[in-house]
Structure formats: C-alpha cells, structure tokens
Amino acid sequence: MSPADLARALGTGLLSFPITHLTEDLAFDEGAYRENIGWLSQFSAAGLFAAGGTGEFFSLAPTEVEQIVRAAVEEAPEDTPIVAPAGYGTAMAIELARSAQRAGADGILLFPPYLTEAGQDGLAHHVRAVCNATDLGVILYNRANAIYSEQLVEQLAEQCPNLIGFKDGAGNIEQMSRIYARLGDRLLYIGGLPTAEMFALPYLSLGLTTYSSAIFNFLPEFASAFYEAVLAGDRETVFSALNDFVIPYCDLRNQEPGYAVSIVKAGMKVIGRPAGPVRPPLTDLDETEVATLADLVKRVS
C-alpha cells in the first residue's frame, strides 16, 4: 500500500489499537494475539495499529515488536492496513521502521523520542531520518516531548513525501487549529488522546475525521456506533453515550497512572476474552475496579 493509499484508507473509518496478549509470566502470547486480531477484523476497523500505545509498545523488546507486527499482518484481512510503531532514539526508531517494513506493515506511527527533550530542529532531523529510512507512510505522534509547531509540520510535509499523518495526543486546540489551517488536506489527522471518544465531536471540526479507539478492543459495536454518531453530528446520541459509559469509564481510568492501558485489558477480561496482565511498570486494575468496569459494560452491551 503506497503512503497516499494508506492515508486514504485510514481516513475512511474508526482506527483500532489492539492490546498485546501476554501470558501470566509476561511473555508474548502469539496464539491468543492472532486469534484476537481475527475476531477484531469482523468489526471493520479502517486500520489496525499493532503494538501501539494500547499495545504496550513501551514495554516490548524490538524483536517482540517485529513479531507482533508480522502476526497482525498475517491474521488481518488483506485490505486492512497495519501500522507499526517506531520510537525511542533516532537510531532505534530507524531500525524499528525497517523491521516494520520487513514484517509487511503498511505504515509507521512515530512515537516521541525516549527520555530526552528536543527543540524543533532536533525533531526535524529525527523525523526526516525515519522517513528517509523507509518507503512506508509515516504518521507523527504529537505528544509528551514531541510537540510539533505548525511551521515544522509544514516543513516536514514538504521535505518528506511519505509523511502522511498527524496524530494528536496533546489536546492543544490552538495548535491543532494552526496546523489544520496551514496544511489543510495535505495530512491525515487522527485523534490520539487517551479515550479519544471524549474529544471526537469537537475535534471533527479541526479536520480530525478519525481517531484511535481503545474501547474498540472490548466494545467494538459500541465504539463503532459512537463513531458513526460523531460523523453524523448526532449530538444527542454522542452525549448520551458519554454520560452512560465514556465519562464514568474515564473516571475509573484516572484512578491510577497508566490505567489508560490497564483498563482496556480489564475490559477484555470482563467480556470473556482475557489478554493477560500488563507489563510493569503498569499495574492491573484491582478486583473492585474490574467489578465497577463490568457494571459499566453491562449498561451498553
């Protein structure tokens, strides 16, 4: 899939960020992961982001990332694009981008560099190096220590033909307005804040026609219906769903740092599709919190 084709495909619907299945001793459970990719595929996500943030990218070894991406490529329908992660320092990000291409991925989600701040010039060198290392389409992840100005995004879009997207995990409305006003439809814009459903309706007017749904992992029909309501401008349905599920879900998610991932694995357990524990330094929800989540799931199931 060419970078342009990838951008068009991802922009047609909701995006799924599958969790990574682990055994009780925290090893990658490839069989369970492959089975789950097949199950998710029946709900028609516009793209699967393997080993992404919800997939615990930050806790995986590079060899595991390639193994996970290859499994997703082999199990997903042929017309479902697979986007793989790249991140950490520039050298490792380049290697991860190349391994994604070897594994058959269609694109790259470029995470922020690890444990170091960088100015706009440093980020520019970082992004160009990764884009130049692969033929795949690259999506910037605007988050944490990688916040891109509208001038830099425009510069990178001109210099890197395979830069196709901008995923926002910062939630700065002014920044998004500036970027969309300057670049328009040159890029695909993806909502990427934790529990992106909270921001989906206001972000739609800023060109973010799709977003990454962690909830899709365990409530795919609810997540898809919510997305359709957003696109239709059905505010009554959107706010009803926010009140019934999304807002109390976020209240539970906010109980502990890192629960944005842990609560998704708890959701899988609740629906009878357990995916194992999270890897440290994340922690799993306790029994009371899992019971609270189960009650929320019952409301919308």
Side-chain angles (χ1 to χ4, degrees), residues 53-54 141-144 167-171 190-200 203 211-215 242 246 249-251 253-254 256 258-261 263-264:
T54 304
Y141 197 175
N142 181 72
R143 183 173 178 174
K167 182 184 179 188
D168 180 54
I190 300 171
L193 287 151
T195 314
E197 282 82 0
M198 287 289 291
F199 308 88
Y203 260 24
Y211 54 85
S212 57
S213 176
I215 292 172
L242 289 175
V246 180
Y249 171 88
C250 288
D251 290 340
R253 181 204 70 195
N254 292 339
E256 190 75 23
Y259 266 13
V261 175
I263 197 171
V264 180

PDB file of all heavy atoms in Angstrom, residues 53-54 141-144 167-171 190-200 203 211-215 242 246 249-251 253-254 256 258-261 263-264:
ATOM      1  N   GLY A  53       0.465   2.277  21.508  1.00  0.00           N
ATOM      2  CA  GLY A  53       0.446   2.630  22.921  1.00  0.00           C
ATOM      3  C   GLY A  53      -0.441   1.703  23.728  1.00  0.00           C
ATOM      4  O   GLY A  53      -0.047   1.203  24.785  1.00  0.00           O
ATOM      5  N   THR A  54      -1.657   1.429  23.234  1.00  0.00           N
ATOM      6  CA  THR A  54      -2.539   0.486  23.908  1.00  0.00           C
ATOM      7  C   THR A  54      -1.964  -0.918  23.874  1.00  0.00           C
ATOM      8  O   THR A  54      -2.268  -1.742  24.733  1.00  0.00           O
ATOM      9  CB  THR A  54      -3.939   0.511  23.264  1.00  0.00           C
ATOM     10  OG1 THR A  54      -4.435   1.850  23.285  1.00  0.00           O
ATOM     11  CG2 THR A  54      -4.923  -0.371  23.996  1.00  0.00           C
ATOM     12  N   TYR A 141       3.321  11.304  15.924  1.00  0.00           N
ATOM     13  CA  TYR A 141       2.529  11.274  17.148  1.00  0.00           C
ATOM     14  C   TYR A 141       2.908  12.487  17.981  1.00  0.00           C
ATOM     15  O   TYR A 141       3.988  12.555  18.560  1.00  0.00           O
ATOM     16  CB  TYR A 141       2.796   9.983  17.916  1.00  0.00           C
ATOM     17  CG  TYR A 141       1.749   9.650  18.961  1.00  0.00           C
ATOM     18  CD1 TYR A 141       1.800   8.458  19.658  1.00  0.00           C
ATOM     19  CD2 TYR A 141       0.699  10.513  19.246  1.00  0.00           C
ATOM     20  CE1 TYR A 141       0.843   8.127  20.610  1.00  0.00           C
ATOM     21  CE2 TYR A 141      -0.260  10.199  20.198  1.00  0.00           C
ATOM     22  CZ  TYR A 141      -0.176   9.007  20.885  1.00  0.00           C
ATOM     23  OH  TYR A 141      -1.114   8.695  21.832  1.00  0.00           O
ATOM     24  N   ASN A 142       2.026  13.465  18.000  1.00  0.00           N
ATOM     25  CA  ASN A 142       2.247  14.735  18.697  1.00  0.00           C
ATOM     26  C   ASN A 142       1.869  14.556  20.170  1.00  0.00           C
ATOM     27  O   ASN A 142       0.694  14.593  20.536  1.00  0.00           O
ATOM     28  CB  ASN A 142       1.362  15.806  18.042  1.00  0.00           C
ATOM     29  CG  ASN A 142       1.529  17.176  18.662  1.00  0.00           C
ATOM     30  OD1 ASN A 142       2.556  17.823  18.477  1.00  0.00           O
ATOM     31  ND2 ASN A 142       0.521  17.635  19.399  1.00  0.00           N
ATOM     32  N   ARG A 143       2.891  14.346  21.013  1.00  0.00           N
ATOM     33  CA  ARG A 143       2.606  14.014  22.410  1.00  0.00           C
ATOM     34  C   ARG A 143       3.876  14.174  23.242  1.00  0.00           C
ATOM     35  O   ARG A 143       4.985  14.047  22.730  1.00  0.00           O
ATOM     36  CB  ARG A 143       2.104  12.571  22.504  1.00  0.00           C
ATOM     37  CG  ARG A 143       1.710  12.122  23.891  1.00  0.00           C
ATOM     38  CD  ARG A 143       1.073  10.760  23.874  1.00  0.00           C
ATOM     39  NE  ARG A 143       0.734  10.313  25.206  1.00  0.00           N
ATOM     40  CZ  ARG A 143       0.058   9.203  25.496  1.00  0.00           C
ATOM     41  NH1 ARG A 143      -0.360   8.429  24.517  1.00  0.00           N
ATOM     42  NH2 ARG A 143      -0.205   8.867  26.742  1.00  0.00           N
ATOM     43  N   ALA A 144       3.696  14.456  24.526  1.00  0.00           N
ATOM     44  CA  ALA A 144       4.786  14.457  25.505  1.00  0.00           C
ATOM     45  C   ALA A 144       5.906  15.395  25.070  1.00  0.00           C
ATOM     46  O   ALA A 144       5.707  16.599  24.954  1.00  0.00           O
ATOM     47  CB  ALA A 144       5.276  13.027  25.737  1.00  0.00           C
ATOM     48  N   LYS A 167      -1.027  12.563  14.328  1.00  0.00           N
ATOM     49  CA  LYS A 167      -1.881  12.055  15.400  1.00  0.00           C
ATOM     50  C   LYS A 167      -1.679  12.924  16.630  1.00  0.00           C
ATOM     51  O   LYS A 167      -0.551  13.066  17.114  1.00  0.00           O
ATOM     52  CB  LYS A 167      -1.547  10.598  15.721  1.00  0.00           C
ATOM     53  CG  LYS A 167      -2.441  10.015  16.809  1.00  0.00           C
ATOM     54  CD  LYS A 167      -2.011   8.602  17.177  1.00  0.00           C
ATOM     55  CE  LYS A 167      -2.918   8.085  18.292  1.00  0.00           C
ATOM     56  NZ  LYS A 167      -2.458   6.792  18.832  1.00  0.00           N
ATOM     57  N   ASP A 168      -2.755  13.483  17.131  1.00  0.00           N
ATOM     58  CA  ASP A 168      -2.637  14.409  18.259  1.00  0.00           C
ATOM     59  C   ASP A 168      -2.936  13.732  19.580  1.00  0.00           C
ATOM     60  O   ASP A 168      -4.021  13.216  19.794  1.00  0.00           O
ATOM     61  CB  ASP A 168      -3.575  15.600  18.090  1.00  0.00           C
ATOM     62  CG  ASP A 168      -3.443  16.553  19.262  1.00  0.00           C
ATOM     63  OD1 ASP A 168      -2.306  16.979  19.539  1.00  0.00           O
ATOM     64  OD2 ASP A 168      -4.454  16.844  19.921  1.00  0.00           O
ATOM     65  N   GLY A 169      -1.938  13.759  20.474  1.00  0.00           N
ATOM     66  CA  GLY A 169      -2.112  13.251  21.823  1.00  0.00           C
ATOM     67  C   GLY A 169      -1.897  14.325  22.862  1.00  0.00           C
ATOM     68  O   GLY A 169      -1.707  14.027  24.043  1.00  0.00           O
ATOM     69  N   ALA A 170      -1.915  15.601  22.442  1.00  0.00           N
ATOM     70  CA  ALA A 170      -1.649  16.713  23.351  1.00  0.00           C
ATOM     71  C   ALA A 170      -2.909  17.466  23.751  1.00  0.00           C
ATOM     72  O   ALA A 170      -3.025  17.976  24.860  1.00  0.00           O
ATOM     73  CB  ALA A 170      -0.647  17.677  22.716  1.00  0.00           C
ATOM     74  N   GLY A 171      -3.857  17.589  22.845  1.00  0.00           N
ATOM     75  CA  GLY A 171      -5.113  18.251  23.161  1.00  0.00           C
ATOM     76  C   GLY A 171      -5.052  19.762  23.181  1.00  0.00           C
ATOM     77  O   GLY A 171      -5.869  20.408  23.831  1.00  0.00           O
ATOM     78  N   ILE A 190      -5.484  12.480  13.043  1.00  0.00           N
ATOM     79  CA  ILE A 190      -6.025  11.411  13.874  1.00  0.00           C
ATOM     80  C   ILE A 190      -6.096  11.882  15.328  1.00  0.00           C
ATOM     81  O   ILE A 190      -5.108  12.394  15.873  1.00  0.00           O
ATOM     82  CB  ILE A 190      -5.133  10.149  13.792  1.00  0.00           C
ATOM     83  CG1 ILE A 190      -5.053   9.643  12.343  1.00  0.00           C
ATOM     84  CG2 ILE A 190      -5.652   9.052  14.712  1.00  0.00           C
ATOM     85  CD1 ILE A 190      -4.032   8.538  12.150  1.00  0.00           C
ATOM     86  N   GLY A 191      -7.231  11.696  15.955  1.00  0.00           N
ATOM     87  CA  GLY A 191      -7.341  11.965  17.383  1.00  0.00           C
ATOM     88  C   GLY A 191      -6.659  10.862  18.163  1.00  0.00           C
ATOM     89  O   GLY A 191      -6.955   9.683  17.965  1.00  0.00           O
ATOM     90  N   GLY A 192      -5.754  11.252  19.062  1.00  0.00           N
ATOM     91  CA  GLY A 192      -4.982  10.239  19.774  1.00  0.00           C
ATOM     92  C   GLY A 192      -4.846  10.472  21.264  1.00  0.00           C
ATOM     93  O   GLY A 192      -3.956   9.924  21.906  1.00  0.00           O
ATOM     94  N   LEU A 193      -5.745  11.282  21.827  1.00  0.00           N
ATOM     95  CA  LEU A 193      -5.739  11.458  23.276  1.00  0.00           C
ATOM     96  C   LEU A 193      -6.296  10.211  23.953  1.00  0.00           C
ATOM     97  O   LEU A 193      -7.090   9.469  23.366  1.00  0.00           O
ATOM     98  CB  LEU A 193      -6.581  12.676  23.654  1.00  0.00           C
ATOM     99  CG  LEU A 193      -5.923  14.021  23.323  1.00  0.00           C
ATOM    100  CD1 LEU A 193      -6.979  15.077  23.054  1.00  0.00           C
ATOM    101  CD2 LEU A 193      -5.013  14.453  24.458  1.00  0.00           C
ATOM    102  N   PRO A 194      -5.873   9.959  25.199  1.00  0.00           N
ATOM    103  CA  PRO A 194      -6.438   8.806  25.904  1.00  0.00           C
ATOM    104  C   PRO A 194      -7.960   8.897  25.963  1.00  0.00           C
ATOM    105  O   PRO A 194      -8.510   9.953  26.293  1.00  0.00           O
ATOM    106  CB  PRO A 194      -5.816   8.918  27.301  1.00  0.00           C
ATOM    107  CG  PRO A 194      -4.535   9.658  27.086  1.00  0.00           C
ATOM    108  CD  PRO A 194      -4.838  10.640  25.988  1.00  0.00           C
ATOM    109  N   THR A 195      -8.626   7.778  25.613  1.00  0.00           N
ATOM    110  CA  THR A 195     -10.071   7.724  25.466  1.00  0.00           C
ATOM    111  C   THR A 195     -10.520   8.837  24.517  1.00  0.00           C
ATOM    112  O   THR A 195     -11.158   9.826  24.883  1.00  0.00           O
ATOM    113  CB  THR A 195     -10.796   7.826  26.819  1.00  0.00           C
ATOM    114  OG1 THR A 195     -10.158   6.942  27.762  1.00  0.00           O
ATOM    115  CG2 THR A 195     -12.251   7.414  26.672  1.00  0.00           C
ATOM    116  N   ALA A 196     -10.164   8.661  23.259  1.00  0.00           N
ATOM    117  CA  ALA A 196     -10.352   9.695  22.236  1.00  0.00           C
ATOM    118  C   ALA A 196     -11.818  10.042  22.016  1.00  0.00           C
ATOM    119  O   ALA A 196     -12.130  11.111  21.475  1.00  0.00           O
ATOM    120  CB  ALA A 196      -9.716   9.239  20.923  1.00  0.00           C
ATOM    121  N   GLU A 197     -12.731   9.170  22.434  1.00  0.00           N
ATOM    122  CA  GLU A 197     -14.152   9.470  22.292  1.00  0.00           C
ATOM    123  C   GLU A 197     -14.538  10.766  23.013  1.00  0.00           C
ATOM    124  O   GLU A 197     -15.473  11.460  22.595  1.00  0.00           O
ATOM    125  CB  GLU A 197     -14.992   8.312  22.840  1.00  0.00           C
ATOM    126  CG  GLU A 197     -15.107   7.126  21.917  1.00  0.00           C
ATOM    127  CD  GLU A 197     -13.930   6.169  21.965  1.00  0.00           C
ATOM    128  OE1 GLU A 197     -12.967   6.426  22.739  1.00  0.00           O
ATOM    129  OE2 GLU A 197     -13.950   5.168  21.234  1.00  0.00           O
ATOM    130  N   MET A 198     -13.839  11.104  24.087  1.00  0.00           N
ATOM    131  CA  MET A 198     -14.142  12.328  24.832  1.00  0.00           C
ATOM    132  C   MET A 198     -13.949  13.577  23.976  1.00  0.00           C
ATOM    133  O   MET A 198     -14.564  14.613  24.226  1.00  0.00           O
ATOM    134  CB  MET A 198     -13.255  12.416  26.078  1.00  0.00           C
ATOM    135  CG  MET A 198     -13.631  11.445  27.175  1.00  0.00           C
ATOM    136  SD  MET A 198     -15.187  11.868  27.993  1.00  0.00           S
ATOM    137  CE  MET A 198     -14.737  13.362  28.876  1.00  0.00           C
ATOM    138  N   PHE A 199     -13.093  13.497  22.975  1.00  0.00           N
ATOM    139  CA  PHE A 199     -12.714  14.667  22.185  1.00  0.00           C
ATOM    140  C   PHE A 199     -13.204  14.585  20.737  1.00  0.00           C
ATOM    141  O   PHE A 199     -12.965  15.488  19.955  1.00  0.00           O
ATOM    142  CB  PHE A 199     -11.184  14.811  22.182  1.00  0.00           C
ATOM    143  CG  PHE A 199     -10.572  14.797  23.547  1.00  0.00           C
ATOM    144  CD1 PHE A 199     -10.212  13.608  24.157  1.00  0.00           C
ATOM    145  CD2 PHE A 199     -10.373  15.984  24.247  1.00  0.00           C
ATOM    146  CE1 PHE A 199      -9.659  13.590  25.432  1.00  0.00           C
ATOM    147  CE2 PHE A 199      -9.820  15.980  25.512  1.00  0.00           C
ATOM    148  CZ  PHE A 199      -9.464  14.781  26.112  1.00  0.00           C
ATOM    149  N   ALA A 200     -13.875  13.504  20.395  1.00  0.00           N
ATOM    150  CA  ALA A 200     -14.171  13.230  18.989  1.00  0.00           C
ATOM    151  C   ALA A 200     -15.057  14.289  18.353  1.00  0.00           C
ATOM    152  O   ALA A 200     -14.806  14.716  17.215  1.00  0.00           O
ATOM    153  CB  ALA A 200     -14.819  11.852  18.863  1.00  0.00           C
ATOM    154  N   TYR A 203     -13.267  17.775  17.968  1.00  0.00           N
ATOM    155  CA  TYR A 203     -12.107  17.659  17.082  1.00  0.00           C
ATOM    156  C   TYR A 203     -12.498  17.473  15.618  1.00  0.00           C
ATOM    157  O   TYR A 203     -11.691  17.710  14.723  1.00  0.00           O
ATOM    158  CB  TYR A 203     -11.211  16.509  17.536  1.00  0.00           C
ATOM    159  CG  TYR A 203     -10.008  16.951  18.332  1.00  0.00           C
ATOM    160  CD1 TYR A 203     -10.001  18.162  19.021  1.00  0.00           C
ATOM    161  CD2 TYR A 203      -8.866  16.163  18.388  1.00  0.00           C
ATOM    162  CE1 TYR A 203      -8.899  18.560  19.747  1.00  0.00           C
ATOM    163  CE2 TYR A 203      -7.753  16.562  19.118  1.00  0.00           C
ATOM    164  CZ  TYR A 203      -7.783  17.760  19.791  1.00  0.00           C
ATOM    165  OH  TYR A 203      -6.686  18.160  20.498  1.00  0.00           O
ATOM    166  N   TYR A 211     -10.116   8.625  14.738  1.00  0.00           N
ATOM    167  CA  TYR A 211      -9.363   8.611  15.995  1.00  0.00           C
ATOM    168  C   TYR A 211      -9.066   7.170  16.391  1.00  0.00           C
ATOM    169  O   TYR A 211      -9.636   6.218  15.854  1.00  0.00           O
ATOM    170  CB  TYR A 211     -10.122   9.343  17.101  1.00  0.00           C
ATOM    171  CG  TYR A 211     -11.536   8.877  17.346  1.00  0.00           C
ATOM    172  CD1 TYR A 211     -11.818   7.797  18.175  1.00  0.00           C
ATOM    173  CD2 TYR A 211     -12.615   9.527  16.742  1.00  0.00           C
ATOM    174  CE1 TYR A 211     -13.122   7.375  18.399  1.00  0.00           C
ATOM    175  CE2 TYR A 211     -13.924   9.119  16.964  1.00  0.00           C
ATOM    176  CZ  TYR A 211     -14.168   8.037  17.802  1.00  0.00           C
ATOM    177  OH  TYR A 211     -15.453   7.620  18.018  1.00  0.00           O
ATOM    178  N   SER A 212      -8.150   7.042  17.328  1.00  0.00           N
ATOM    179  CA  SER A 212      -7.776   5.721  17.827  1.00  0.00           C
ATOM    180  C   SER A 212      -8.678   5.369  18.999  1.00  0.00           C
ATOM    181  O   SER A 212      -8.704   6.070  20.001  1.00  0.00           O
ATOM    182  CB  SER A 212      -6.306   5.700  18.249  1.00  0.00           C
ATOM    183  OG  SER A 212      -6.038   6.683  19.233  1.00  0.00           O
ATOM    184  N   SER A 213      -9.410   4.293  18.880  1.00  0.00           N
ATOM    185  CA  SER A 213     -10.355   3.879  19.916  1.00  0.00           C
ATOM    186  C   SER A 213      -9.824   2.671  20.668  1.00  0.00           C
ATOM    187  O   SER A 213      -9.797   1.551  20.134  1.00  0.00           O
ATOM    188  CB  SER A 213     -11.715   3.544  19.305  1.00  0.00           C
ATOM    189  OG  SER A 213     -12.592   3.060  20.303  1.00  0.00           O
ATOM    190  N   ALA A 214      -9.424   2.896  21.929  1.00  0.00           N
ATOM    191  CA  ALA A 214      -9.036   1.766  22.777  1.00  0.00           C
ATOM    192  C   ALA A 214     -10.262   0.959  23.183  1.00  0.00           C
ATOM    193  O   ALA A 214     -10.197  -0.264  23.336  1.00  0.00           O
ATOM    194  CB  ALA A 214      -8.300   2.285  24.011  1.00  0.00           C
ATOM    195  N   ILE A 215     -11.404   1.648  23.341  1.00  0.00           N
ATOM    196  CA  ILE A 215     -12.640   0.976  23.728  1.00  0.00           C
ATOM    197  C   ILE A 215     -13.048  -0.062  22.688  1.00  0.00           C
ATOM    198  O   ILE A 215     -13.686  -1.074  23.009  1.00  0.00           O
ATOM    199  CB  ILE A 215     -13.761   2.022  23.938  1.00  0.00           C
ATOM    200  CG1 ILE A 215     -13.452   2.885  25.164  1.00  0.00           C
ATOM    201  CG2 ILE A 215     -15.124   1.370  24.090  1.00  0.00           C
ATOM    202  CD1 ILE A 215     -14.394   4.062  25.347  1.00  0.00           C
ATOM    203  N   LEU A 242     -21.622   9.370  26.172  1.00  0.00           N
ATOM    204  CA  LEU A 242     -20.617   9.911  27.088  1.00  0.00           C
ATOM    205  C   LEU A 242     -21.076   9.752  28.536  1.00  0.00           C
ATOM    206  O   LEU A 242     -20.307   9.310  29.405  1.00  0.00           O
ATOM    207  CB  LEU A 242     -20.347  11.380  26.774  1.00  0.00           C
ATOM    208  CG  LEU A 242     -19.583  11.695  25.494  1.00  0.00           C
ATOM    209  CD1 LEU A 242     -19.501  13.206  25.270  1.00  0.00           C
ATOM    210  CD2 LEU A 242     -18.171  11.100  25.523  1.00  0.00           C
ATOM    211  N   VAL A 246     -18.733   6.553  28.667  1.00  0.00           N
ATOM    212  CA  VAL A 246     -17.383   7.072  28.451  1.00  0.00           C
ATOM    213  C   VAL A 246     -16.881   7.896  29.640  1.00  0.00           C
ATOM    214  O   VAL A 246     -15.735   7.724  30.082  1.00  0.00           O
ATOM    215  CB  VAL A 246     -17.316   7.892  27.142  1.00  0.00           C
ATOM    216  CG1 VAL A 246     -15.901   8.432  26.933  1.00  0.00           C
ATOM    217  CG2 VAL A 246     -17.731   7.039  25.941  1.00  0.00           C
ATOM    218  N   TYR A 249     -16.244   5.704  32.646  1.00  0.00           N
ATOM    219  CA  TYR A 249     -15.067   4.906  32.272  1.00  0.00           C
ATOM    220  C   TYR A 249     -13.792   5.725  32.477  1.00  0.00           C
ATOM    221  O   TYR A 249     -12.803   5.225  33.031  1.00  0.00           O
ATOM    222  CB  TYR A 249     -15.224   4.474  30.812  1.00  0.00           C
ATOM    223  CG  TYR A 249     -14.022   3.825  30.167  1.00  0.00           C
ATOM    224  CD1 TYR A 249     -13.819   2.452  30.251  1.00  0.00           C
ATOM    225  CD2 TYR A 249     -13.104   4.583  29.426  1.00  0.00           C
ATOM    226  CE1 TYR A 249     -12.736   1.851  29.626  1.00  0.00           C
ATOM    227  CE2 TYR A 249     -12.021   3.990  28.808  1.00  0.00           C
ATOM    228  CZ  TYR A 249     -11.838   2.627  28.908  1.00  0.00           C
ATOM    229  OH  TYR A 249     -10.761   2.043  28.287  1.00  0.00           O
ATOM    230  N   CYS A 250     -13.816   6.981  32.038  1.00  0.00           N
ATOM    231  CA  CYS A 250     -12.648   7.851  32.224  1.00  0.00           C
ATOM    232  C   CYS A 250     -12.382   8.129  33.701  1.00  0.00           C
ATOM    233  O   CYS A 250     -11.216   8.224  34.123  1.00  0.00           O
ATOM    234  CB  CYS A 250     -12.837   9.168  31.470  1.00  0.00           C
ATOM    235  SG  CYS A 250     -12.723   9.005  29.677  1.00  0.00           S
ATOM    236  N   ASP A 251     -13.438   8.261  34.500  1.00  0.00           N
ATOM    237  CA  ASP A 251     -13.254   8.455  35.939  1.00  0.00           C
ATOM    238  C   ASP A 251     -12.510   7.262  36.543  1.00  0.00           C
ATOM    239  O   ASP A 251     -11.620   7.434  37.392  1.00  0.00           O
ATOM    240  CB  ASP A 251     -14.601   8.623  36.632  1.00  0.00           C
ATOM    241  CG  ASP A 251     -15.279   9.943  36.292  1.00  0.00           C
ATOM    242  OD1 ASP A 251     -14.579  10.879  35.840  1.00  0.00           O
ATOM    243  OD2 ASP A 251     -16.513  10.036  36.473  1.00  0.00           O
ATOM    244  N   ARG A 253     -10.560   5.152  34.782  1.00  0.00           N
ATOM    245  CA  ARG A 253      -9.222   5.187  34.173  1.00  0.00           C
ATOM    246  C   ARG A 253      -8.294   6.125  34.925  1.00  0.00           C
ATOM    247  O   ARG A 253      -7.081   5.858  35.060  1.00  0.00           O
ATOM    248  CB  ARG A 253      -9.355   5.657  32.723  1.00  0.00           C
ATOM    249  CG  ARG A 253      -8.069   5.743  31.927  1.00  0.00           C
ATOM    250  CD  ARG A 253      -8.226   6.738  30.783  1.00  0.00           C
ATOM    251  NE  ARG A 253      -8.302   8.114  31.260  1.00  0.00           N
ATOM    252  CZ  ARG A 253      -8.711   9.139  30.527  1.00  0.00           C
ATOM    253  NH1 ARG A 253      -9.128   8.948  29.291  1.00  0.00           N
ATOM    254  NH2 ARG A 253      -8.732  10.354  31.043  1.00  0.00           N
ATOM    255  N   ASN A 254      -8.828   7.220  35.433  1.00  0.00           N
ATOM    256  CA  ASN A 254      -7.999   8.229  36.098  1.00  0.00           C
ATOM    257  C   ASN A 254      -7.618   7.873  37.536  1.00  0.00           C
ATOM    258  O   ASN A 254      -6.923   8.649  38.195  1.00  0.00           O
ATOM    259  CB  ASN A 254      -8.737   9.577  36.093  1.00  0.00           C
ATOM    260  CG  ASN A 254      -8.864  10.164  34.706  1.00  0.00           C
ATOM    261  OD1 ASN A 254      -8.110   9.820  33.801  1.00  0.00           O
ATOM    262  ND2 ASN A 254      -9.823  11.061  34.520  1.00  0.00           N
ATOM    263  N   GLU A 256      -5.482   5.745  38.499  1.00  0.00           N
ATOM    264  CA  GLU A 256      -4.060   5.387  38.632  1.00  0.00           C
ATOM    265  C   GLU A 256      -3.322   5.712  37.336  1.00  0.00           C
ATOM    266  O   GLU A 256      -3.847   5.463  36.249  1.00  0.00           O
ATOM    267  CB  GLU A 256      -3.939   3.887  38.912  1.00  0.00           C
ATOM    268  CG  GLU A 256      -2.569   3.390  39.301  1.00  0.00           C
ATOM    269  CD  GLU A 256      -2.173   3.744  40.723  1.00  0.00           C
ATOM    270  OE1 GLU A 256      -3.073   3.984  41.558  1.00  0.00           O
ATOM    271  OE2 GLU A 256      -0.964   3.799  40.993  1.00  0.00           O
ATOM    272  N   GLY A 258      -1.286   5.225  34.144  1.00  0.00           N
ATOM    273  CA  GLY A 258      -1.101   4.028  33.326  1.00  0.00           C
ATOM    274  C   GLY A 258      -2.355   3.207  33.124  1.00  0.00           C
ATOM    275  O   GLY A 258      -2.359   2.253  32.340  1.00  0.00           O
ATOM    276  N   TYR A 259      -3.442   3.569  33.810  1.00  0.00           N
ATOM    277  CA  TYR A 259      -4.670   2.806  33.660  1.00  0.00           C
ATOM    278  C   TYR A 259      -5.305   2.942  32.277  1.00  0.00           C
ATOM    279  O   TYR A 259      -6.215   2.175  31.940  1.00  0.00           O
ATOM    280  CB  TYR A 259      -5.683   3.226  34.727  1.00  0.00           C
ATOM    281  CG  TYR A 259      -5.666   2.382  35.988  1.00  0.00           C
ATOM    282  CD1 TYR A 259      -4.619   1.491  36.250  1.00  0.00           C
ATOM    283  CD2 TYR A 259      -6.701   2.457  36.911  1.00  0.00           C
ATOM    284  CE1 TYR A 259      -4.602   0.729  37.405  1.00  0.00           C
ATOM    285  CE2 TYR A 259      -6.707   1.687  38.064  1.00  0.00           C
ATOM    286  CZ  TYR A 259      -5.663   0.831  38.317  1.00  0.00           C
ATOM    287  OH  TYR A 259      -5.670   0.066  39.462  1.00  0.00           O
ATOM    288  N   ALA A 260      -4.865   3.917  31.478  1.00  0.00           N
ATOM    289  CA  ALA A 260      -5.413   4.036  30.122  1.00  0.00           C
ATOM    290  C   ALA A 260      -5.198   2.755  29.329  1.00  0.00           C
ATOM    291  O   ALA A 260      -5.997   2.408  28.448  1.00  0.00           O
ATOM    292  CB  ALA A 260      -4.781   5.223  29.393  1.00  0.00           C
ATOM    293  N   VAL A 261      -4.113   2.030  29.636  1.00  0.00           N
ATOM    294  CA  VAL A 261      -3.854   0.729  29.016  1.00  0.00           C
ATOM    295  C   VAL A 261      -4.454  -0.395  29.858  1.00  0.00           C
ATOM    296  O   VAL A 261      -5.134  -1.283  29.349  1.00  0.00           O
ATOM    297  CB  VAL A 261      -2.342   0.509  28.830  1.00  0.00           C
ATOM    298  CG1 VAL A 261      -2.061  -0.898  28.297  1.00  0.00           C
ATOM    299  CG2 VAL A 261      -1.763   1.552  27.877  1.00  0.00           C
ATOM    300  N   ILE A 263      -6.956  -0.544  31.856  1.00  0.00           N
ATOM    301  CA  ILE A 263      -8.407  -0.666  31.850  1.00  0.00           C
ATOM    302  C   ILE A 263      -8.904  -1.368  30.587  1.00  0.00           C
ATOM    303  O   ILE A 263      -9.957  -2.008  30.601  1.00  0.00           O
ATOM    304  CB  ILE A 263      -9.064   0.730  32.013  1.00  0.00           C
ATOM    305  CG1 ILE A 263     -10.532   0.585  32.416  1.00  0.00           C
ATOM    306  CG2 ILE A 263      -8.922   1.564  30.736  1.00  0.00           C
ATOM    307  CD1 ILE A 263     -11.183   1.894  32.801  1.00  0.00           C
ATOM    308  N   VAL A 264      -8.134  -1.287  29.520  1.00  0.00           N
ATOM    309  CA  VAL A 264      -8.524  -1.987  28.291  1.00  0.00           C
ATOM    310  C   VAL A 264      -8.352  -3.489  28.478  1.00  0.00           C
ATOM    311  O   VAL A 264      -9.219  -4.287  28.088  1.00  0.00           O
ATOM    312  CB  VAL A 264      -7.704  -1.477  27.090  1.00  0.00           C
ATOM    313  CG1 VAL A 264      -8.108  -2.215  25.821  1.00  0.00           C
ATOM    314  CG2 VAL A 264      -7.896   0.020  26.910  1.00  0.00           C
TER     315      VAL A 264
END
